[in-house]
Amino acid sequence: MEYNLGDDDWDRRERNETPTQRLDRNWSGLLQELRVVQTGVQLLTGFLLTVPFQDRFYMQDNIFQSIYLVTVSASVGATVLLLAPASMHRILFRRHRLKTLIDASQRCALGGLVLLGIALTGVMMLVFELVIGRTAGWIAGAVTVVLFVSFWFAIPWRYRELGPAEET
């Protein structure tokens, strides 16, 4: 996470906050965001890991099974990345490396969200294919990708590019 040098001045002026207090606030905010997704991605991964133990799984063709493997891999990858900040925190504890921890955790969180979006897209494809058919699965996957890209990345990025807000 790159910090705008003007942010320190703004935080000092508007929040009466030191750079260390800002790092503490950023770390706390990041942890809250990760808590929202961690449980969900862990449950999703657990569910996906049970799928091959269903008889119907082996009646599906190679395309279905390939989509499943990509989906479960993305879900496991998302789990790893979204839990990584906790491990990093333990290893860096009392090393005065909070900025490093926040920067690395930010990257892990974004990567984890991308992989979670891929996993959820795959789940939609698999479920719709099983219930309705392959075409419906591909359509559901496409709609899901559009929703994730729009709401998780494009819209927030648009607001980010508008420049600093006048609000506090």
Side-chain angles (χ1 to χ4, degrees):
M1 176 186 307
E2 291 298 319
Y3 294 107
N4 182 336
L5 294 177
D7 287 348
D8 282 338
D9 291 335
W10 187 91
D11 287 331
R12 191 175 302 108
R13 185 179 66 249
E14 297 296 325
R15 292 180 181 263
N16 196 28
E17 183 178 62
T18 68
T20 302
Q21 289 170 323
R22 177 182 181 198
L23 288 171
D24 288 338
R25 179 176 48 83
N26 288 344
W27 175 243
S28 180
L30 180 62
L31 285 180
Q32 292 293 16
E33 294 166 13
L34 291 173
R35 284 184 184 114
V36 170
V37 294
Q38 283 175 340
T39 302
V41 75
Q42 289 171 309
L43 288 170
L44 174 64
T45 301
F47 166 75
L48 286 169
L49 292 174
T50 67
V51 171
F53 299 102
Q54 309 302 314
D55 291 335
R56 191 169 177 195
F57 179 78
Y58 292 98
M59 296 187 310
Q60 304 306 315
D61 64 11
N62 287 340
I63 293 172
F64 183 93
Q65 291 179 1
S66 295
I67 293 169
Y68 166 78
L69 290 173
V70 168
T71 300
V72 77
S73 296
S75 188
V76 168
T79 301
V80 168
L81 289 175
L82 293 170
L83 292 174
S87 174
M88 283 188 262
H89 182 263
R90 280 298 96 212
I91 292 169
L92 295 175
F93 187 66
R94 293 186 177 166
R95 299 284 181 203
H96 308 287
R97 303 288 303 272
L98 190 54
K99 183 176 182 331
T100 301
L101 176 64
I102 292 169
D103 290 345
S105 296
Q106 163 74 4
R107 288 182 187 92
C108 287
L110 287 174
L113 287 174
V114 168
L115 290 176
L116 179 58
I118 291 168
L120 291 172
T121 298
V123 166
M124 290 297 287
M125 291 176 71
L126 295 171
V127 169
F128 272 75
E129 181 174 332
L130 278 175
V131 174
I132 301 173
R134 175 144 302 150
T135 302
W138 286 101
I139 292 170
V143 168
T144 304
V145 166
V146 168
L147 290 172
F148 282 127
V149 169
S150 296
F151 288 100
W152 285 11
F153 297 101
I155 292 171
W157 219 265
R158 182 178 183 280
Y159 286 122
R160 178 184 171 116
E161 296 302 315
L162 291 176
E166 295 301 320
E167 59 198 47
T168 56

